[in-house]
Amino acid sequence: CSLPRGTPPNADEYCNLVKNTISCGLFVNLIDFMKISFCSLKLSNIPIYGLLNAIMLVGLFSLLHMMTKYFFYPNLVTLIEFTPLTTLGSSYLIAGPCLLGPYYTSFWPSCAVHEENVSPLQFAKLVGDVMRHFVIGILVQSMQGYRVEGVTLWSCITFMILGVLYLMLVSNRKHYIPIKDIVTSKDLTTLEFRVFVFILAFGLVLLVIMAASYVTFERSGLKERHHDSYSELESDEEIMGIYPKQRIFSRQHIWWETVNGNKIMKDNPWAYRMFMVPVFFVLAHFIPVISKDRFQDGWVKYINCLCFIFLPVLHLFYKFSIVEFMVITVICWAASFLVYISTHSMRRPDRLWLFSLVGLIISSMAMCVLSREIENLTWQFIGLRFHLLPDLNVLMYFGLGEAFSEAIVVRGLQRRKMLDACFGVGMSLSSYGLFLAFPLLYYHDCYNRNCKIIVTASSETCMLFFLLILSTTLLHISMSGYEFRMSLFIYLIGETFVYVTFQWMRHHDSMFPLTILPNKKYLL
């Protein structure tokens, strides 16, 4: 999505580029900011377009920060504390699906465009995300320090090293999927077998983690247990749960304590609060936040009813069919009615974690929408301004929203002294992204008639660097007494800098890629 070098800046030229080039609008989700800038506003100056782009990015990252810190993170902590597993086990099992699930189940625009061979872009994004999640998780933990058990560290990173090696092996192979005789295609059978291997291996590991975590939890009793007791209730007529009705504060006071963004976000600068408090006030009416830090554990009956009414609206951004959307709407609205007739506004229900899960789903879907807008802005501007190769653009600058959210979550868990959960979140996001990458490419039809091989020189270089980062991180932590120290932070910063520099030098043809592809014609 760029004009030839040396083309004089002209609004009409840029507008024609946006309208006639498929790649310019490839990742447009809600707003085509490039089209608005050059066709509606008639901009012809790239620096001004870049400034407006930067302002938009600041706004989107501010919204993503608020959504992650004050909606997603508290619900995630509540769910981790509720599950009958150790903190490390529950965070490993929960964090990946909660943060990455909406994107993995959404409509993938890059694989849906069959006019061009753009499926390798999706693979490049998935590979880049895996590296980003691992590096960000380790960097944030190293800033404060953490000591991990040797068996846990070696098992997690060794499992990922094996996953990267197998992913490199299968992604380098050609898979020709013909339109005719697709049922008898040998490549399709091979592709399905490799997808099965990824899912089976990862599923077995998750089962082992769940079983071991549950046994450890039952033996040690790490988390609080609530026993059903109705002895403190006032009368048999008021039995709606094990928790008594509170009579200290009114409904209005409970509601105001929940939606008062100025008080909840008091740890932020006043300039941030000035713009975000009105947005928080609106969102707090539709996204439940269940947390021990909130009054009555965050339970507000009418907000929890409204969240089910609001949930189908978010599905409009994921391009479901009419039938699917109607089914989701009926189920959500029926759930809202059941919550209304079966709960009391002054007494928190017994299964409060269910509403925490609903709040987690809504906030995660909203964060996914914001992250996709961030990716579209970076895709359009970097491609236009720096003429960067498409796969390099996706590989290095996509997934910044999820990485930003991961840093916020890990930092918040550090403040709560949930250090095992910090390690679990980082490993969860990396492992889910790594072992579900190839299956997702298959189920989203990224292997089609235009794509025989999914890997590019840039994405294979990324996997080789990721292998280097995994092995050196494992050795560094092992030689440091299994502690995350500041030296590890500096070491990873240096490796990341070398990786980014290498990719940019490859873009300028100053270096050859680290690739083992057998034929150059398969490279983008």
Side-chain angles (χ1 to χ4, degrees):
C1 182
S2 60
L3 291 173
R5 296 182 182 274
T7 303
N10 185 288
D12 293 333
E13 290 287 342
Y14 287 130
C15 184
N16 291 331
L17 173 70
V18 175
K19 291 181 177 180
N20 300 324
T21 307
I22 296 177
S23 60
C24 290
L26 191 61
F27 295 99
V28 172
N29 189 32
L30 296 179
I31 303 174
D32 192 345
F33 188 66
M34 193 176 188
K35 189 174 182 179
I36 294 174
S37 300
F38 295 122
C39 297
S40 299
L41 301 179
K42 299 295 182 181
L43 292 179
S44 60
N45 194 317
I46 295 298
I48 296 179
Y49 168 67
L51 178 62
L52 295 177
N53 212 313
I55 295 173
M56 288 285 293
L57 285 175
V58 170
L60 289 172
F61 274 110
S62 299
L63 288 172
L64 187 61
H65 172 268
M66 180 191 65
M67 188 65 65
T68 304
K69 186 175 182 179
Y70 300 106
F71 293 99
F72 178 85
Y73 162 71
N75 286 314
L76 179 64
V77 170
T78 300
L79 211 57
I80 290 175
E81 293 176 342
F82 170 82
T83 52
L85 304 171
T86 61
T87 303
L88 176 60
S90 57
S91 60
Y92 188 95
L93 295 171
I94 293 172
C98 289
L99 186 60
L100 305 177
Y103 177 69
Y104 287 169
T105 57
S106 64
F107 178 80
W108 285 16
S110 61
C111 292
V113 179
H114 297 291
E115 289 80 4
E116 297 182 2
N117 180 16
V118 292
S119 294
L121 297 181
Q122 193 57 254
F123 179 70
K125 183 203 180 307
L126 293 173
V127 171
D129 284 348
V130 174
M131 176 184 282
R132 268 185 294 272
H133 290 313
F134 180 81
V135 172
I136 291 296
I138 299 296
L139 287 178
V140 177
Q141 292 176 81
S142 301
M143 293 173 63
Q144 180 170 320
Y146 170 64
R147 192 179 191 281
V148 64
E149 293 185 3
V151 175
T152 303
L153 175 72
W154 276 85
S155 58
C156 287
I157 296 187
T158 303
F159 181 56
M160 282 196 288
I161 290 176
L162 294 176
V164 174
L165 290 174
Y166 187 64
L167 183 62
M168 291 178 61
L169 176 66
V170 299
S171 61
N172 279 327
R173 298 295 184 265
K174 291 188 296 181
H175 296 87
Y176 177 66
I177 311 298
I179 299 178
K180 299 179 180 180
D181 301 328
I182 189 172
V183 178
T184 59
S185 173
K186 294 182 179 179
D187 283 349
L188 180 61
T189 304
T190 304
L191 186 64
E192 291 176 343
F193 172 75
R194 289 167 176 171
V195 168
F196 175 75
V197 170
F198 271 109
I199 295 177
L200 179 63
F202 191 51
L204 290 176
V205 169
L206 293 181
L207 285 176
V208 170
I209 292 175
M210 183 183 297
S213 181
Y214 178 77
V215 171
T216 304
F217 171 81
E218 287 295 323
R219 289 178 177 176
S220 58
L222 296 176
K223 302 176 185 178
E224 296 181 3
R225 298 168 183 254
H226 299 285
H227 301 282
D228 295 349
S229 175
Y230 296 91
S231 60
E232 298 180 358
L233 295 183
E234 298 179 0
S235 65
D236 294 336
E237 297 177 354
E238 291 190 348
I239 294 181
M240 296 181 66
I242 65 174
Y243 297 96
K245 182 190 296 184
Q246 72 85 23
R247 304 181 184 276
I248 302 175
F249 298 107
S250 64
R251 292 181 177 87
Q252 291 78 11
H253 180 82
I254 297 174
W255 164 79
W256 178 243
E257 289 294 318
T258 303
V259 301
N260 185 6
N262 190 49
K263 180 179 179 180
I264 294 176
M265 297 190 293
K266 61 183 179 181
D267 56 331
N268 292 289
W270 66 269
Y272 176 87
R273 282 182 284 138
M274 182 175 63
F275 291 101
M276 291 295 110
V277 165
V279 181
F280 180 90
F281 179 81
V282 175
L283 294 177
H285 287 84
F286 301 99
I287 306 177
V289 177
I290 307 301
S291 173
K292 293 181 179 180
D293 300 334
R294 304 286 182 92
F295 182 76
Q296 205 171 230
D297 291 341
W299 167 253
V300 181
K301 177 179 178 178
Y302 301 105
I303 292 178
N304 286 276
C305 292
L306 285 174
C307 74
F308 285 101
I309 298 176
F310 175 69
L311 183 56
V313 178
L314 283 175
H315 287 83
L316 294 174
F317 301 117
Y318 291 85
K319 300 181 181 180
F320 285 94
S321 66
I322 298 297
V323 176
E324 293 172 338
F325 178 75
M326 292 302 298
V327 171
I328 293 172
T329 302
V330 171
I331 293 174
C332 291
W333 288 7
S336 177
F337 178 73
L338 291 175
V339 171
Y340 180 78
I341 64 175
S342 62
T343 59
H344 195 283
S345 59
M346 307 300 286
R347 176 192 289 120
R348 54 155 290 186
D350 297 346
R351 307 294 192 280
L352 199 58
W353 65 271
L354 290 172
F355 301 97
S356 175
L357 180 61
V358 174
L360 203 61
I361 293 173
I362 297 176
S363 57
S364 181
M365 293 176 68
M367 290 160 55
C368 180
V369 173
L370 293 173
S371 297
R372 301 293 77 76
E373 291 300 318
I374 293 172
E375 289 178 356
N376 178 50
L377 289 175
T378 55
W379 165 264
Q380 292 180 336
F381 176 74
I382 293 178
L384 180 66
R385 174 63 181 84
F386 298 102
H387 304 270
L388 191 63
L389 294 173
D391 55 337
L392 270 180
N393 193 346
V394 171
L395 189 67
M396 294 198 296
Y397 299 106
F398 273 34
L400 296 179
E402 286 89 351
F404 182 68
S405 297
E406 179 191 4
I408 295 173
V409 170
V410 173
R411 187 58 181 162
L413 291 171
Q414 285 180 332
R415 293 192 180 98
R416 285 179 174 265
K417 306 301 181 182
M418 300 174 65
L419 300 182
D420 287 341
C422 296
F423 181 76
V425 168
M427 294 298 107
S428 174
L429 295 174
S430 304
S431 300
Y432 274 93
L434 176 60
F435 285 89
L436 294 183
F438 198 76
L440 286 167
L441 295 172
Y442 169 73
Y443 288 117
H444 284 274
D445 295 326
C446 288
Y447 279 101
N448 49 56
R449 60 186 175 87
N450 291 325
C451 182
K452 298 179 182 179
I453 190 165
I454 208 76
V455 74
T456 67
S458 301
S459 56
E460 189 169 11
T461 299
C462 177
M463 287 189 285
L464 290 172
F465 264 97
F466 186 47
L467 276 176
L468 177 65
I469 290 175
L470 284 173
S471 56
T472 53
T473 300
L474 178 61
L475 293 176
H476 188 283
I477 297 174
S478 300
M479 291 187 294
S480 301
Y482 297 107
E483 293 182 352
F484 291 68
R485 299 177 179 177
M486 201 62 191
S487 58
L488 177 61
F489 178 88
I490 299 172
Y491 193 75
L492 274 180
I493 288 291
E495 285 188 314
T496 306
F497 177 78
V498 171
Y499 163 72
V500 174
T501 304
F502 183 90
Q503 292 283 35
W504 272 99
M505 292 179 69
R506 199 193 76 76
H507 166 67
H508 292 290
D509 296 326
S510 300
M511 299 189 71
F512 291 106
L514 301 178
T515 176
I516 55 176
L517 285 175
N519 197 325
K520 291 184 178 180
K521 69 179 181 179
Y522 298 125
L523 303 181
L524 277 184

